[in-house]
Amino acid sequence: MRIKRTGTFLALLLLAVLVVLPLLWVSFKSIWINGKLDLLAPIRTVLEKDLTGVFSHSLTLGIGVVAGSTLFALPLAWLMAKTPLRKHRWLDIVLLIPFMTPPYIGSMGWILFMQPRGYLEQLFPGAQWISSHFFSLFGMITIMSLHLFPFLYLILRNAIIQIGGNKEEAAAVHGASFMYTMRRVMLPLVFSSYVMGALLIFVKTLAEFGTPATFGRRIGYFVLTTEIQASISSWPVDFGKATSLASLLLLACLVLWYVQSVVVRRHSYNLVGGKGSREKIVGYRGWQQALAWLYVVLLLATAIGIPYFSIISASLMKLRGNGLAWTNLTLHHYGELLTWGSPSMKALMNSMGLALLAACLAVALGTWFALSIGRAKRLPQRITDMFSLLPNTVPDMVLVVGLIMVWNAPWMPIHIYNTYGMVVLTYVVFFLPYTVQYVKARNGQLDESLRQAGQVFGGKPWYVFRRIVLPLLLPGMLAGWMMTFTISLRELVASLMVLPPSMQTSATYIFAQFEQGQLSLGMAMAVVSVALTTTLLLIVNNMNSNRKWNAQ
């Protein structure tokens, strides 16, 4: 018991150093000005440097993306929960593709498709007026909404399914029309789920860097994340501006998290009980079925077809000036990309090496933290659990600013800033929650009798852990390892902020090629990166669904 408590204390201490200290340091540096405490310093900095427009840009973008995501997700959720379309379960997997696509890659595809003399004008010359109006705030909201709507869709679909058909039938018995039932029964019951999903999307939009850095800069629409990155990455470096913006961004996200918890607590209803509930499927006529499928197909074609068509086409073009033509296609860029010793191959190998190290460290630390948390019965365990989830609840840009300031501070005994170790550490901190949650969920499924049986037969604690517990935790550890590896392989924010000057990864290589106008190599790297990460995720899904991994 003493050893377990010591392990929990050490885990809590390490999480405090890795996660909590950087966040506190950002907040502290933003209000500690010239040796004095000034709680209004962040707001004053924003006003003095005329950054109110940047802050309002972020809020406007967040509201617009929530509205756009709702427009896409709500009809789709109802169709997939209440109509015969729900039997096509493969659609749920396909609809996750936009969410799994890195935002900066998706926005690059949209830019290639919609820009003047882009692929849209080449395919449909009369559509020039569309491309001329797309490069605006409306286009940016559309791109980000098409990326984030699957998140809201899954929340709403599950909420609608849980309602069941009994309540709709009760309303119909009392003479309620379809619209009245939707307004007075369905919408109030899904309201808390919608608020939770909408606020999560709002936070993700505030914290998003990829799309604002590619599409936003092109239209001159700057937000908090791009300003923070510019303050640290461009000369002259302005840490005061960066910490002020980061602290305001952190404060906004924490306030939204609190609002979400209050709304969900006050507007939640018990929809699942001991009494069975019959599902009600709404039938449709032929033209209604065609209309439903048309909506789904158009949504998939817009969210997946357009960006991936652009990315793959750009990666296969010999000369951009020759446009879309069979004679202008080549695999030369893939050959150059995968040539050993080339800058692109070095960037890809750097990504794989850094992701491998980060995944191994994350799974080791995450397993330790998950076992220390256990069933979270004691206060130190619950605090450890909360600290382990922090990287998933605060913006990446805020966390990376804090990590830079802490590990570059003069009082820090170990100076790893501007080294490969800093990149690995940032990846580990970013994606540690995945391993912790996967292993914690797996550990929670293990009955205590398994450990007790090993002890009864004379097994020492280490032997019981190595021969009984560890094999049963392996599926969760593997899932956490693969998730960390695949996301680290294409991580952009941390790579741009903490990579040594002479080093590139696949994400920064794609970003640099796009910025320099060398699209074909960059898009070839994007195709390879997405294909590699998708393949790895499919392998994890297959291994976790295999019965031989399941504890009996």
Side-chain angles (χ1 to χ4, degrees), residues 9-25 369 383-384 387-388 390 403 406-407 432:
F9 173 76
L10 292 176
L12 186 58
L13 181 63
L14 184 58
L15 278 171
V17 173
L18 293 178
V19 180
V20 181
L21 180 60
L23 297 176
L24 292 177
W25 195 250
F369 296 153
I383 296 176
T384 304
F387 284 177
S388 70
L390 271 179
L403 288 169
V406 167
W407 293 95
L432 189 62

Side-chain angles (χ1 to χ4, degrees), residues 48 149 159 201 326 358 380 394 539:
E48 290 176 354
F149 86 89
I201 286 180
W326 289 110
V394 300
I539 291 173

Side-chain angles (χ1 to χ4, degrees), residues 171-359:
V173 166
H174 288 82
S177 65
F178 173 78
M179 292 305 299
Y180 185 88
T181 302
M182 290 291 294
R183 181 167 55 89
R184 297 301 300 270
V185 178
M186 298 290 290
L187 292 181
L189 290 176
V190 302
F191 179 71
S192 63
S193 297
Y194 170 75
V195 170
M196 181 178 68
L199 288 177
L200 286 173
I201 286 180
F202 192 87
V203 170
K204 286 181 176 294
T205 303
L206 290 183
E208 178 56 47
F209 173 77
T211 301
T214 50
F215 192 90
R217 286 177 179 173
R218 185 181 179 109
I219 64 174
Y221 197 87
F222 301 101
V223 295
L224 287 171
T225 51
T226 53
E227 283 297 313
I228 294 171
Q229 191 266 343
S231 300
I232 294 181
S233 303
S234 304
W235 184 261
V237 175
D238 191 345
F239 276 105
K241 175 181 173 182
T243 54
S244 296
L245 292 175
S247 62
L248 289 176
L249 180 58
L250 177 61
L251 178 62
C253 292
L254 293 178
V255 169
L256 288 171
W257 286 119
Y258 176 75
V259 171
Q260 170 199 302
S261 64
V262 171
V263 173
V264 171
R265 186 169 61 250
R266 292 184 178 179
H267 296 276
S268 293
Y269 302 94
N270 295 324
L271 299 176
V272 180
K275 186 178 179 180
S277 177
R278 184 173 66 257
E279 296 179 351
K280 181 181 179 182
I281 304 299
V282 179
Y284 43 39
R285 299 181 180 88
W287 67 271
Q288 293 173 323
Q289 181 180 5
L291 192 62
W293 273 109
L294 179 64
Y295 179 80
V296 173
V297 171
L298 286 177
L299 189 57
L300 291 176
T302 307
I304 302 172
I306 289 177
Y308 276 97
F309 170 81
S310 302
I311 293 167
I312 295 173
S313 298
S315 70
L316 295 173
M317 279 193 179
K318 295 179 183 177
L319 297 172
R320 288 180 58 196
N322 291 344
L324 292 171
W326 289 110
T327 56
N328 195 33
L329 301 182
T330 180
L331 293 174
H332 172 75
H333 304 298
Y334 288 93
E336 183 179 348
L337 173 72
L338 300 175
T339 300
W340 191 258
S342 64
S344 53
M345 191 62 181
K346 290 180 180 178
L348 185 60
M349 295 306 296
N350 284 338
S351 286
M352 295 189 69
L354 292 170
L356 181 64
L357 285 174

